[in-house]
Amino acid sequence: DFQSASSGVAAKAMRSELGRLANAIPDVKALKEPSPEQIIPYKDLPACDNPELLNKLAVLKLNGGLGTTMGCVGPKSAIEVRDGMTFLDLSVRQIEYLNKKFDVNVPFILMNSFNTDDDTMRIVQKYGSHKIDILTFNQSRYPRINKESLLPMPRTPTSDINRLIAEGKEYIFISNVDNLGAVVDLNILKYMVDNDSEFIMEVTDKTKADIKGGTLIDYEGTVRLLEVAQVPAEHIEDFKSIKKFRIFNTNNLWISLKAIKRVTEEKELNLEVIVNNKTLESGVKVIQLETAVGSAIKHFKNAHGVNVPRSRFLPVKSTSDLFLVTSDLYSLNHGELTMNPKRLFQTVPLVKLGDEFKKSPPHILELDHLTVTGDVTFGAGVQLKGTVIIVANHGARIDIPPNSVLENK
């Protein structure tokens, strides 16, 4: 009786949540590409010559992810990325440089998950002597649900943050901690202030590598975020089409703090729920319910997208991505990565590394495509050009000698 009663309550809650989710899915017939007024090209933004605006800004990094997909344990932001510095080091260095250069006070905020909070709190202590105010808090969350019983698997939650508006902050720049291209941009901040926009989403042109990324749409005259999980199976190919939906969400977001306060206090914030199936280390299968911050765009006034250069979207999701950012393709300046000007085309090569890949930084300025699979080791000073594919058979090993030049091999 106890089990059936608990399951009945869980089932009722699940029906209610699924009903709300179903009602939130847009009618496909009403979907249109955004109008020119809803997506502003970055090149059309006026240049900002007033760094004082930075005193109205706070910067928040989404820091809830672990480094498991890259073979690491603990917060992903603690992975070493470049010149002995981690994702977190680079972000802190960027904000500290802004504060010193312009004599402003931009606070740095980390939104952690229950997986990353304890470790992150210990890590940020090392920045105590830096010119930067660091705040942390826990993201809100639904409890995971056991896939077999449909009963919740709760954890202890809660934390809150209210001090920003009291300190005179009016805007917040939000991005993923692993997006190394997401740096503070004064031109976007000035545009937001001048146009009284409550929510700006940075989008960029879609390539074949981005076909699953969420996109902005016009839905009955308002701008909305459409995620692949919301698209019926018969329309998936339309969603992936570069011709039909030409831009995607970078998850670099600029939001008015006063507007956030308004929509939360008035209980207007109603985000679509994303269902994510996961398997725990114990083997237990769970259902994780998530919300995407970008879907909040529909609740804000004068909300729209800004089509930014691809350089503002530089995520590191895999060892292949890490290989690129540790190479000579980029240079590091005050925590910001910039493309090497010697690169003929300002695009990144396609890199696919097998799980066995040994970390090494060959020269890749003239590389277009690299695939490495199996037990492969690179000597110092190796140069890769054009298309290079290296496959070590099972049980075999390939050592690329130092100073080798591999071109179209």
Side-chain angles (χ1 to χ4, degrees), residues 161-228:
I161 178 171
N162 316 323
R163 53 182 275 191
L164 294 176
I165 293 177
E167 291 179 354
K169 307 306 174 188
E170 297 181 30
Y171 304 94
I172 191 162
F173 173 44
I174 301 173
S175 62
N176 296 337
V177 75
D178 61 5
N179 180 6
L180 296 178
V183 298
V184 172
D185 188 288
L186 267 168
N187 295 347
I188 298 177
L189 178 59
K190 172 181 167 56
Y191 174 82
M192 187 175 192
V193 174
D194 291 348
N195 290 272
D196 199 25
S197 177
E198 292 186 345
F199 194 114
I200 287 179
M201 175 183 290
E202 292 185 37
V203 298
T204 195
D205 292 342
K206 187 189 287 189
T207 70
K208 290 183 179 179
D210 315 305
I211 55 177
K212 291 186 178 180
T215 189
L216 283 182
I217 57 168
D218 180 304
Y219 183 70
E220 297 180 343
T222 62
V223 65
R224 300 266 296 260
L225 177 67
L226 181 66
E227 298 279 8
V228 66

Side-chain angles (χ1 to χ4, degrees), residues 24-83:
I25 296 175
D27 178 4
V28 174
K29 295 178 182 178
L31 303 187
K32 296 189 296 185
E33 263 201 291
S35 66
E37 297 78 27
Q38 291 171 325
I39 305 289
I40 309 299
Y42 179 82
K43 62 181 177 59
D44 291 349
L45 302 188
C48 178
D49 56 3
N50 180 20
E52 279 291 314
L53 284 177
L54 290 171
N55 278 317
K56 297 183 176 183
L57 183 71
V59 171
L60 185 149
K61 295 288 183 181
L62 304 178
N63 185 48
L66 297 172
T68 50
T69 56
M70 298 170 68
C72 300
V73 177
K76 187 175 183 179
S77 58
I79 295 175
E80 187 176 309
V81 179
R82 182 81 187 218
D83 298 353

